Amino acid sequence: MFLSYAGSYTESDPVRIAVEGVERFRKENCDLIIVDTSGRHKQEATLFEEMRQVSEATKPDLVIFVMDSSIGQAAFDQAQAFKQSVPVGAVIVTKMDGHAKGGGALSAVAATNSPVIFIGTGEHMDEFEVFDVKPFVSGLLGMGDCSGLMNKIQEVVPIDRQHELLQKLSEGNFTLRIMYELFQIILEMGPIQAMSMLTTLLPGFSSELLSEGHEKGKQSMIKRYMTMMDSMTNEGNPKLNKKKVITELDSSNPPNLMNESHLVRIARGCGRPIRDVMEMLEHYKRLAMNWSKVKGVGNRKNRGKGLPLQRLITQMGSAKDMMGMFAPEKSR
Ligand SMILES: Nc1nc2c(ncn2[C@@H]2O[C@H](COP(=O)(O)OP(=O)(O)OP(=O)(O)O)[C@@H](O)[C@H]2O)c(=O)[nH]1
């Protein structure tokens, strides 16, 4: 590999330095020319203007927004400011080897409408990797089960029901009604798909029931849970929610909504002991807690700013399509 560098000890205008360097390397038929601006922040208006001028003068094929993964959700505003100044077309996330999980990358993707193409996982050349969406999302969610569930939903849920379900999930409010809908879908699946979906959905659920040869047990567990949810009625407890009556099924925190008399009513309604209702609610709570970790993408603050999680992931996944831009036969 032949690498060359252009700079100037005498010229102070970065636009001129960039233009002269690009012209020189074009003449030399270099495969790839990178114009690296120094780090800048959205509050530095003059530096942004300078970057815009460099971009306009050098007319790059691709403008890449490079972000440090530790900046977290501030990435949205930064990335948006960059996009407003220059036509950002891709994102690189560095320092993925640090503590940050890189959730800000989702925000950067949303703000720039561009895919992540590479990630930095260390200080050395071989620690610069082509971005792969699946392990990233798994790490981001901090659990195999939810990213697995996301994949599973795409694999097995009919396409006309996928969008609404993923939309609801991406909003981070995993209500009992969503769990009910997932169970309905599971019951419509073939036994193998249902088994795999359920294992993903309720990883901690009785290993005995989830072991092979217990399809009937699993089905009856799902039906039992659904019957309990059917007993929850669609009316909330006005005493506990004076301002707004939230139904038990639609509340994002139903176990807190339910006092002892509610539990007794639900248990009576479905003909099960109270401890079964509590067990179901425990499973629900665990699942809802996992899903709340994706809230950063769909929470109120970011709503309208970001995109639904599923679209972001699809968009991030399209990074591989961009790799053609770096094909050696394409001189730039
Ligand atoms: N651990 C780790 N360190 C990294 C990574 N990427 C960059 N670094 C280190 O971070 C420091 C800053 O990296 P630079 O590439 O100079 O960052 P920059 O954004 O170009 O800096 P500016 O001069 O402000 O433009 C260096 O010590 C790099 O080795 C990464 O993915 N992981």
Side-chain angles (χ1 to χ4, degrees):
M1 197 195 308
F2 175 73
L3 286 175
S4 194
Y5 169 82
S8 174
Y9 289 113
T10 49
E11 177 59 67
S12 60
D13 179 1
V15 182
R16 287 188 73 156
I17 295 173
V19 169
E20 281 166 18
V22 169
E23 270 169 13
R24 190 185 119 199
F25 292 135
R26 277 205 174 116
K27 276 191 202 129
E28 288 174 13
N29 277 330
C30 288
D31 290 329
L32 182 69
I33 303 169
I34 299 172
V35 179
D36 181 19
T37 65
S38 58
R40 46 205 70 212
H41 189 274
K42 71 183 172 73
Q43 274 146 354
E44 299 157 330
T46 45
L47 287 183
F48 261 61
E49 173 54 19
E50 182 187 280
M51 176 175 68
R52 193 194 61 73
Q53 287 176 16
V54 169
S55 168
E56 210 172 82
T58 55
K59 301 200 174 15
D61 298 300
L62 178 65
V63 176
I64 305 174
F65 172 64
V66 183
M67 61 164 271
D68 180 328
S69 63
S70 65
I71 71 169
Q73 293 309 318
F76 188 92
D77 293 334
Q78 278 297 330
Q80 196 175 47
F82 273 81
K83 179 80 178 180
Q84 278 158 6
S85 293
V86 289
V88 174
V91 177
I92 290 177
V93 188
T94 65
K95 303 198 181 162
M96 289 295 288
D97 50 318
H99 292 301
K101 288 193 225 154
L106 284 171
S107 305
V109 162
T112 58
N113 205 21
S114 314
V116 177
I117 53 171
F118 291 105
I119 54 167
T121 55
E123 293 192 79
H124 303 106
M125 283 288 283
D126 59 352
E127 289 165 317
F128 191 61
E129 301 169 17
V130 171
F131 176 71
D132 186 358
V133 72
K134 281 188 184 165
F136 173 81
V137 172
S138 289
L140 188 62
L141 299 180
M143 65 242 139
D145 46 331
C146 280
S147 58
L149 174 60
M150 192 82 92
N151 289 340
K152 203 114 285 162
I153 286 172
Q154 286 177 287
E155 269 169 40
V156 297
V157 175
I159 224 137
D160 55 324
R161 294 177 72 177
Q162 263 183 35
H163 179 76
E164 198 192 334
L165 196 56
L166 288 167
Q167 176 74 38
K168 282 184 192 166
L169 288 170
S170 74
E171 281 163 11
N173 285 331
F174 190 90
T175 60
L176 278 162
R177 196 181 294 281
I178 294 181
M179 186 160 96
Y180 192 96
E181 283 172 21
L182 282 168
F183 284 161
Q184 271 179 325
I185 292 167
I186 288 172
L187 287 180
E188 288 164 19
M189 286 172 181
I192 294 172
Q193 281 181 323
M195 163 80 167
S196 119
M197 178 92 166
L198 193 58
T199 315
T200 318
L201 186 61
L202 294 175
F205 191 71
S206 161
S207 51
E208 204 184 300
L209 267 185
L210 287 175
S211 59
E212 273 178 52
H214 283 87
E215 272 75 30
K216 280 204 176 123
K218 281 187 294 283
Q219 286 222 344
S220 61
M221 179 273 293
I222 292 181
K223 285 179 185 157
R224 208 167 57 236
Y225 276 14
M226 288 173 83
T227 316
M228 291 177 204
M229 287 188 261
D230 282 336
S231 307
M232 282 182 178
T233 73
N234 276 332
E235 287 159 33
N237 183 343
K239 279 186 195 153
L240 292 173
N241 287 282
K242 289 194 181 90
K243 285 189 191 138
K244 195 176 164 204
V245 177
I246 304 166
T247 74
E248 288 166 351
L249 281 179
D250 292 309
S251 161
S252 52
N253 206 358
N256 290 348
L257 196 73
M258 281 169 230
N259 54 23
E260 208 182 319
S261 68
H262 272 72
L263 289 173
V264 171
R265 170 178 53 73
I266 294 161
R268 278 206 192 119
C270 62
R272 306 289 315 176
I274 291 179
R275 73 164 182 276
D276 281 11
V277 180
M278 288 168 77
E279 181 200 85
M280 186 271 287
L281 288 173
E282 270 312 305
H283 277 124
Y284 159 76
K285 264 204 285 193
R286 219 180 305 156
L287 206 51
M289 199 169 71
N290 282 348
W291 276 103
S292 70
K293 293 182 185 170
V294 299
K295 261 187 178 166
V297 178
N299 67 15
R300 233 171 248 133
K301 211 172 107 218
N302 288 344
R303 217 167 276 161
K305 277 183 171 182
L307 294 170
L309 183 61
Q310 177 49 25
R311 257 175 78 194
L312 288 176
I313 289 167
T314 311
Q315 194 177 309
M316 288 181 129
S318 69
K320 286 201 179 109
D321 301 341
M322 300 214 40
M323 299 318 295
M325 300 198 76
F326 297 96
E329 64 269 22
K330 253 190 163 183
S331 298
R332 42 198 66 252

